[in-house]
Amino acid sequence: MKDYLVKALAFDDQVRAYAVRSTETVGEAQRRHHTWPTASAALGRTMTASVMMGSMLKGEEKLTVKVEGDGPLGPILVDANAKGQVRGYVTHPQVHFDLNEHGKLDVRRAVGTSGFLSVVKDVGLRDYFTGQVPLVSGELGEDFTYYFVKSEQVPSSVGVGVLVNPDNTILAAGGFVIQLLPGTEDETITKIEERLKAIPPISKLIERGLSPEEILEEVLGKGNVRFLETQPVTFQCTCSKERFGNAIISLGKDEITDMIETDGKAETHCHFCNEKYTYTREDLEQLLNEAK
Ligand SMILES: [Zn+2]
């Protein structure tokens, strides 16, 4: 099954809901960055929440999520857009701890409990929306919930989960976002609160292999959900040898001449996807010709 997300309305369109299966996408991030299990869970949960947040955007809009806690992972950076494309990295990918007292990956210990979650939305025409909240948990699901409530003033509930195989590959990943629209009746709010208390943790739902649609039915109750559309979700980086080449060109003739004379080659590295690009002497001479 390929990754995808589903958008829905629930309780007579008083509630907006999103759910995603992100197993392959988080798996690709794990392979590219060689993350250890606790780091995979932290990066995967951030990517899973970010791709749903991205799906709330339109057209060419995109966003960057940064989680900056005081734990050993260092900053987590994730880009997502309205097309279900997401990429991301964690500063220190080789971090792992013993399972916590609930038998789960100890994401809080890896992320830290003091720090910030920030979101920058690029909505085009050099227009940016920026929001930042302090971390309230370090488990990330609660931190995204707090972000929606505090920064966007949308009462929300976010559940994100990542399960890791013994060989460090990703077994399953996914999540949901439930948001109350303005004017939601108290009765509906109570119903949702009760359901959220009663459902198993999101990691259990994805472990059972539920589809995004089934996750929303489990969370909101069968018959309460009206599905609107689905969208493929993929790990996708925007980097290329040409793009990095343009960055080299912008360094100017002196700098490029220096590269040619000193090393006779150059290498660039993309943090987001861990791809390396090598420029031979001939490549650099070509770039030198294009530089001012
Ligand atoms: Zn890249």
Side-chain angles (χ1 to χ4, degrees):
M1 185 168 52
K2 282 205 157 65
D3 287 349
Y4 69 96
L5 69 78
V6 63
K7 302 181 189 182
L9 291 167
F11 294 103
D12 298 325
D13 301 356
Q14 297 180 75
V15 172
R16 197 162 49 181
Y18 305 81
V20 63
R21 178 194 191 270
S22 53
T23 307
E24 302 304 324
T25 306
V26 176
E28 172 98 21
Q30 192 280 325
R31 281 193 298 278
R32 285 181 170 273
H33 297 297
H34 313 290
T35 47
W36 289 359
T38 316
S40 300
L43 176 59
R45 287 184 193 180
T46 308
M47 289 175 67
T48 300
S50 301
V51 80
M52 288 187 281
M53 201 184 282
S55 78
M56 299 169 193
L57 300 173
K58 293 187 281 296
E60 299 300 312
E61 296 175 355
K62 54 193 178 190
L63 57 80
T64 299
V65 171
K66 190 176 188 186
V67 176
E68 215 168 355
D70 60 350
L73 282 182
I76 304 168
L77 235 87
V78 172
D79 278 353
N81 62 22
K83 297 165 192 159
Q85 297 168 332
V86 59
R87 61 179 188 168
Y89 70 94
V90 53
T91 308
H92 300 293
Q94 272 97 45
V95 171
H96 181 60
F97 293 113
D98 290 339
L99 300 182
N100 65 19
E101 68 272 25
H102 308 294
K104 292 203 188 143
L105 290 165
D106 203 348
V107 171
R108 172 179 308 193
R109 189 168 166 198
V111 170
T113 49
S114 177
F116 292 93
L117 187 164
S118 60
V119 178
V120 178
K121 290 183 189 171
D122 176 355
V123 291
L125 301 171
R126 293 174 188 270
D127 207 1
Y128 295 93
F129 165 90
T130 309
Q132 180 173 288
V133 292
L135 294 177
V136 290
S137 151
E139 290 286 345
L140 298 172
E142 291 162 54
D143 298 292
F144 278 97
T145 297
Y146 187 71
Y147 165 80
F148 279 122
V149 174
K150 275 286 162 190
S151 190
E152 304 202 357
Q153 281 87 45
V154 184
S156 306
S157 178
V158 181
V160 280
V162 175
L163 298 171
V164 180
N165 288 311
D167 67 355
N168 288 1
T169 58
I170 303 300
L171 171 66
F176 64 82
V177 177
I178 309 295
Q179 299 193 313
L180 303 183
L181 296 170
T184 305
E185 292 162 10
D186 289 345
E187 193 190 332
T188 306
I189 297 174
T190 309
K191 259 188 219 159
I192 292 172
E193 282 172 349
E194 280 168 2
R195 292 205 69 92
L196 285 169
K197 268 185 225 147
I199 57 161
I202 179 68
S203 57
K204 290 279 173 237
L205 301 183
I206 57 174
E207 192 173 17
R208 277 161 49 194
L210 297 191
S211 69
E213 288 87 348
E214 288 166 333
I215 288 173
L216 287 187
E217 286 180 339
E218 182 88 15
V219 175
L220 295 167
K222 233 181 178 159
N224 295 328
V225 191
R226 185 163 76 88
F227 297 108
L228 299 177
E229 56 173 319
T230 61
Q231 179 180 48
V233 164
T234 52
F235 184 105
Q236 190 98 37
C237 196
T238 52
C239 75
S240 65
K241 189 171 178 181
E242 193 188 351
R243 278 197 171 208
F244 277 109
N246 290 334
I248 293 174
I249 291 170
S250 69
L251 295 173
K253 276 194 189 304
D254 289 351
E255 192 81 19
I256 302 171
T257 306
D258 191 49
M259 283 178 189
I260 295 170
E261 286 170 1
T262 315
D263 293 327
K265 61 178 169 59
E267 194 175 79
T268 60
H269 169 238
C270 176
H271 286 293
F272 276 102
C273 68
N274 213 17
E275 200 73 51
K276 287 191 175 72
Y277 299 98
T278 308
Y279 298 82
T280 61
R281 178 179 291 273
E282 290 70 36
D283 290 335
L284 290 173
E285 281 165 354
Q286 177 80 37
L287 297 175
L288 180 63
N289 279 333
E290 294 175 47
K292 293 212 169 63

